[in-house]
Amino acid sequence: MLVGVPKEIKNHEYRVGLTPGNVRQLTAHGHQVLVQASAGTAIGLTDAEYAAAGATLVDSAAEIFAKAEMIVKVKEPQPEECRMLRPGQILFTYLHLAPDPEQTKLLQASGAICIAYETVTDRNGGLPLLAPMSEVAGRMSIQAGAHCLEKSYGGIGILLGGVPGTPPAKVAIIGGGVVGTNAARMAIGLEAYVTVLDKSLDRLRALDLQFGRRLNTVYANVDTIEQAVLEADLVIGAVLVPGAEAPKVVSRELVARMKKGSVLVDVAIDQGGCFETSHATTHDNPTYVVDGVIHYCVANMPGAVARTSTFALNNATAPFTLALADKGWQQALAEDVHLRNGLNVFRGQLTHPGIAHLGPVVTPESVLGL
């Protein structure tokens, strides 16, 4: 198969779809790989390394989209990239379609076979291709929130862990999944007062066993979320409904009652955000203020630590990329229900229940004839 890796063009996005090591794996299996020149230069992955791994370097994304049978990316295709997709071409990347009707329509119009990293599953019900970036984003959320709490960034001017004789900051993490667990780990390490809220008692028990008395676990409902948010200096939104738009768990009215100079970090912003006052921001302009509360809503947070993120993502995607290349999409999707769960758009048809609000949805099995 001819696999193409274009350079990412989203704001401050330096990750790359394939590392030289994974290019070498593909070429060792007899596949050809086209990589756009300087695709990984910003994170120290040189064109020479890609060439040594067996890739053919090309100057433009247009040439890659025109020639490749499968496009491997990191972030959702921007409108100009969507328009370069061809009928029957495989697109393997993050899509996050639920809050993005424009991208959805463009992908439908392309006729491409679009497989989303974030809805590929595993035998335990997890999301193995989302998990690495959730780990990164969870850890980064505390780092970003701590900066935003500094007075020079507009915050209330509080140190997360305090110092002897002063209280630590209060951190509320809504959602105890991969993002929430990693956020808690970092906040506890900085000696903040940390509370995780979740609707799953099993998840709360697991967190209690992992962190013990260093972490407060609270069952999430309207009352407990309100109490935690109003007391918090930093709130992390870590709510996920796989493939679907995130629920709004913090209302505009509640934000207006929060401490002035407190901070919201919405890690769910890729799926529309879980705070009613959230809208996507960029690394160029990451924050805005609503009712005196700082909002950090960068839609590609892991892009800030792009080298770490690229290798973490590639470790997870490599087996699936290789399966698609070795077997072709028909056999790969037919044989692996977990990869099949990643199918979001198939030759104009929507194929994931999480995006049913965007149009009629059919099952992957029906379009594949299974």
Side-chain angles (χ1 to χ4, degrees), residues 333-357:
L333 292 174
E335 291 182 355
D336 187 348
V337 64
H338 300 298
L339 181 58
R340 194 158 69 240
N341 288 336
L343 188 65
N344 276 221
V345 182
F346 181 87
R347 292 178 169 166
Q349 299 182 84
L350 303 182
T351 55
H352 193 278
I355 52 176
H357 62 288

Side-chain angles (χ1 to χ4, degrees), residues 65-77:
F65 278 87
K67 293 181 177 179
E69 298 168 77
M70 176 165 64
I71 301 291
V72 179
K73 281 176 42 64
V74 177
K75 287 307 290 177
E76 72 279 358

Side-chain angles (χ1 to χ4, degrees), residues 250-316:
V250 175
S251 68
R252 183 176 297 274
E253 181 272 336
L254 184 55
V255 170
R257 294 165 56 200
M258 289 176 65
K259 298 178 186 177
K260 306 308 176 188
S262 59
V263 176
L264 293 172
V265 178
D266 197 339
V267 186
I269 194 65
D270 273 321
Q271 294 293 126
C274 61
F275 308 134
E276 196 173 13
T277 47
S278 292
H279 64 76
T281 61
T282 67
H283 289 292
D284 271 342
N285 190 19
T287 64
Y288 60 93
V289 179
V290 176
D291 292 325
V293 177
I294 299 167
H295 291 57
Y296 181 100
C297 303
V298 175
N300 59 330
M301 285 178 65
V305 287
R307 186 176 174 92
T308 296
S309 297
T310 292
F311 281 92
L313 178 61
N314 267 254
N315 291 342

Side-chain angles (χ1 to χ4, degrees), residues 172-176 194-208 215-229 239 249:
I173 302 168
I174 306 175
V194 186
T195 299
V196 171
L197 301 100
D198 200 284
K199 293 196 293 186
S200 167
L201 290 176
D202 287 341
R203 191 71 211 118
L204 294 176
R205 289 189 185 99
L207 289 167
D208 182 71
L215 178 67
N216 306 291
T217 57
V218 175
Y219 182 80
N221 59 34
V222 173
D223 188 63
T224 57
I225 290 174
E226 178 178 299
Q227 182 178 345
V229 167
V239 178
V249 296

Side-chain angles (χ1 to χ4, degrees), residues 44-103:
L45 301 177
T46 65
D47 289 350
E49 289 178 274
Y50 279 106
T56 300
L57 294 162
V58 299
D59 291 329
S60 71
E63 184 175 351
I64 288 173
F65 278 87
K67 293 181 177 179
E69 298 168 77
M70 176 165 64
I71 301 291
V72 179
K73 281 176 42 64
V74 177
K75 287 307 290 177
E76 72 279 358
Q78 302 304 291
E80 57 266 44
E81 294 175 309
C82 290
R83 294 185 183 100
M84 289 191 284
L85 288 165
R86 308 190 316 272
Q89 193 172 40
I90 305 166
L91 173 66
F92 194 33
T93 188
Y94 287 116
L95 292 178
H96 300 294
L97 295 180
D100 194 349
E102 180 190 9
Q103 184 201 169

Side-chain angles (χ1 to χ4, degrees), residues 170-202:
K170 290 185 176 181
V171 178
I173 302 168
I174 306 175
V178 177
V179 169
T181 300
N182 280 272
R185 177 177 175 178
M186 297 298 284
I188 289 168
L190 290 170
E191 300 184 353
Y193 182 88
V194 186
T195 299
V196 171
L197 301 100
D198 200 284
K199 293 196 293 186
S200 167
L201 290 176
D202 287 341

